[in-house]
Amino acid sequence: MLKDSEWVRQPGDRYEIRLSGSGGQGLILAGIILAEAAGIYGGRFVAQTQSYGPEARGGVSRSDVIISDEEIDYPKAIKFDMLMAMNQKSCDQYFSDLKPNGILLVDSTFVSEVPLEGAVTIPFTQIAREEVGKEFVANIVSLGALTEFCPLLNGEVLEKAVLGRVPRGTEALNRTALRTGIEAAARFRKKMARRAVAPEDYKLEED
Amino acid sequence: MLKDSEWVRQPGDRYEIRLSGSGGQGLILAGIILAEAAGIYGGRFVAQTQSYGPEARGGVSRSDVIISDEEIDYPKAIKFDMLMAMNQKSCDQYFSDLKPNGILLVDSTFVSEVPLEGAVTIPFTQIAREEVGKEFVANIVSLGALTEFCPLLNGEVLEKAVLGRVPRGTEALNRTALRTGIEAAARFRKKMARRAVAPEDYKLEED
């Protein structure tokens, strides 16, 4: 499921990403950064949307990014190529809107019940707290990991977009967060690859 | 044109606002704040969208906010009730998408040719620089003024949204910027009202 080769893009296809979690996890900012990475720095057409309702306070927060090689007429996301779920509620609420080959990424700090096989489970918030030193950059850590699994993005455009958007004085911290997220995704990928080739009773080394 | 009584809302109507200008004027953040004011703090349904294309770098930046009493199915703005134009290019490009009774607000620091009669012309950037002391809060000054002309918003929800979204340590500055914008709009309204009643050769006092 995670191999890029299994996923074949047609010209004009839209690539739809939803970032979701609770308010305060920084997903609106993450959506803007993702959109600017793909649009301003990546040269594609992008529409980025968030919706709020009377229920939004304390509820699920979400931010959608649609990327295309052509101008985007209809800016509402329909079926996601990627879903980032930073808490259990958003995971439960949105996973059924993934495309059949869509990629689910969850913050395993908060998501314990993962509804799909082959999901990318990485403890973004724990990594932000323990490896980067600030829990509030979990959104940027998660963007780093997402980049590793998205064929339309790369670390370079993401880093430009992060540095262009985060508050002055936090650039170094956020750069570290992004790179830590990219590394965490690479570690996860490697672990999965080893699991795939290992016989069932083969004892896996832990990273 | 500026009287609220001339504008009659039907239930279910969408209220569409476009904020536009150049990249770096803080319009994406302003759009998020506006959306959160109306949605999270104001209890309405809101969709907030920005689009980027390959031309976005250095070009016109825009952020659309749609407010409704009902859930928003189609998040693309069509005809604007309000257009904020923070530079000449965005004013020229978008003013024709205003509804017949739509309100055009321009930053007269940068917009010298105003294409419509009855536009709200206030030098937001100059006010930010001279009255607030920091040019980069022009976006928040302009939000304050917009609030005064938008029947769905008020200073209270705007202030909550501003304080919830601006970088830590800049709260007092941004609160001042918002209130300065509200005051500037009130001054503008008063000046227009005086003009409307004054005979043509009546010499207006300057504020």
Side-chain angles (χ1 to χ4, degrees), chain B residues 11-27:
Chain B
D13 273 2
R14 296 153 59 109
Y15 193 90
E16 306 191 346
I17 304 172
R18 171 163 288 179
L19 309 178
S20 63
S22 56
Q25 284 187 306
L27 297 165

Side-chain angles (χ1 to χ4, degrees), chain B residues 127-138:
Chain B
I127 289 172
R129 192 170 51 225
E130 293 176 7
E131 294 185 33
V132 190
K134 296 281 180 196
E135 186 165 320
F136 67 83
V137 296

Side-chain angles (χ1 to χ4, degrees), chain A residues 62-137:
Chain A
R62 62 191 159 92
S63 178
D64 295 342
V65 179
I66 301 173
I67 307 171
S68 174
D69 293 325
E70 297 172 7
E71 208 156 340
I72 295 164
D73 273 332
Y74 185 69
K76 184 171 184 164
I78 305 157
K79 281 283 181 185
F80 304 108
D81 296 274
M82 298 186 102
L83 171 65
M84 167 70 70
M86 297 285 283
N87 69 3
Q88 188 69 52
K89 196 173 169 188
S90 63
C91 185
D92 297 346
Q93 198 160 329
Y94 300 128
F95 84 91
S96 58
D97 293 327
L98 269 170
K99 289 183 186 168
N101 282 329
I103 298 171
L104 173 64
L105 297 98
V106 306
D107 184 342
S108 55
T109 318
F110 300 117
V111 180
S112 51
E113 287 169 42
V114 181
L116 293 178
E117 276 196 41
V120 178
T121 57
I122 298 176
F124 299 116
T125 301
Q126 190 190 339
I127 288 172
R129 192 170 50 225
E130 295 175 6
E131 294 185 34
V132 189
K134 297 280 180 195
E135 185 165 319
F136 67 83
V137 295

Side-chain angles (χ1 to χ4, degrees), chain B residues 15-141:
Chain B
Y15 193 90
E16 306 191 346
I17 304 172
R18 171 163 288 179
L19 309 178
S20 63
S22 56
Q25 284 187 306
L27 297 165
I28 308 296
L29 176 63
I32 304 269
I33 288 172
L34 197 55
E36 295 190 344
I40 298 178
Y41 302 102
R44 288 199 167 83
F45 291 94
V46 180
Q48 191 270 324
T49 303
Q50 42 262 348
S51 303
Y52 308 83
E55 79 293 343
R57 210 189 312 211
V60 166
S61 172
R62 61 189 159 94
S63 178
D64 295 343
V65 179
I66 302 173
I67 307 172
S68 175
D69 293 325
E70 296 171 8
E71 208 155 341
I72 295 164
D73 273 332
Y74 184 69
K76 183 170 185 164
I78 304 157
K79 282 284 182 185
F80 304 108
D81 296 274
M82 296 186 102
L83 171 64
M84 167 70 70
M86 298 284 284
N87 70 2
Q88 188 68 52
K89 196 173 169 187
S90 63
C91 185
D92 298 345
Q93 198 160 330
Y94 300 128
F95 83 90
S96 58
D97 293 327
L98 268 171
K99 289 184 187 168
N101 282 329
I103 298 171
L104 173 64
L105 297 98
V106 306
D107 184 342
S108 55
T109 319
F110 301 118
V111 179
S112 51
E113 287 168 42
V114 181
L116 293 178
E117 276 197 40
V120 178
T121 57
I122 298 176
F124 300 116
T125 301
Q126 190 191 339
I127 289 172
R129 192 170 51 225
E130 293 176 7
E131 294 185 33
V132 190
K134 296 281 180 196
E135 186 165 320
F136 67 83
V137 296
N139 59 342
I140 307 297
V141 174

Side-chain angles (χ1 to χ4, degrees), chain A residues 37-56:
Chain A
I40 299 179
Y41 303 103
R44 289 199 166 83
F45 291 94
V46 180
Q48 192 270 324
T49 303
Q50 43 262 348
S51 303
Y52 309 81
E55 78 293 342

